[in-house]
């Protein structure tokens, strides 16, 4: 059985802060081939598609397409604010390695 990714309250709160749902958008998390480690994350605001997995919280949505879902099994989607900037992050237990910036990974 495939476990969907989890989304933290902090990530939903950030989406609410930027009012993503009001604009008809969700946070899309996708996995593409490429990047310095083999796969890379595509994180952007987008309209949900009919075949997306939709994770809802605090009136906001995070969506994952069918192709990306196996790569994100049991991952944690979060939002962090650090001195170098603020961004959505993914803690992926399926990744065997990742690059320093956290946007690409290997399995």
């Amino acid at each position: 059985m495939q476990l969907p990714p989890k989304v933290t309250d902090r990530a939903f709160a950030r989406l609410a802060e930027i009012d993503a749902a009001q604009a008809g958008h969700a946070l899309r998390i996708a996995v593409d081939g490429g990047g310095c480690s083999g796969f890379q994350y595509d994180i952007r605001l987008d309209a949900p598609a009919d075949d997306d997995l939709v994770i809802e919280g605090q009136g906001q949505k995070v969506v994952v397409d069918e192709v990306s879902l196996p790569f994100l099994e049991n991952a944690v989607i979060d939002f962090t604010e650090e001195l170098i900037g603020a961004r959505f992050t993914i803690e992926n237990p399926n990744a065997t390695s990742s690059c320093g910036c956290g946007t690409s990974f290997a399995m």
Side-chain angles (χ1 to χ4, degrees):
M1 179 177 166
Q2 193 169 354
L3 297 173
K6 298 171 184 72
V7 180
T8 66
D9 288 339
R10 189 170 37 216
F12 281 128
R14 177 59 179 157
L15 287 170
E17 187 177 308
I18 62 175
D19 214 8
Q22 184 68 21
H25 291 113
L27 181 69
R28 178 168 299 282
I29 307 293
V31 174
D32 296 324
C36 56
S37 297
F39 296 99
Q40 61 188 358
Y41 297 114
D42 179 12
I43 303 171
R44 59 190 155 90
L45 293 177
D46 193 17
D50 291 337
D51 60 346
D52 285 337
L53 168 72
V54 179
I55 306 164
E56 295 186 69
Q58 300 181 25
Q60 304 298 312
K61 295 179 182 179
V62 174
V63 295
V64 180
D65 64 86
E66 288 181 348
V67 174
S68 300
L69 198 52
F71 297 101
L72 296 167
E73 181 177 4
N74 212 25
V76 177
I77 300 160
D78 197 6
F79 182 78
T80 61
E81 293 184 78
E82 301 168 349
L83 290 175
I84 59 171
R87 63 189 175 117
F88 288 98
T89 61
I90 300 171
E91 183 182 316
N92 191 340
N94 306 301
T96 57
S97 65
S98 63
C99 68
C101 64
T103 59
S104 72
F105 66 99
M107 290 183 78

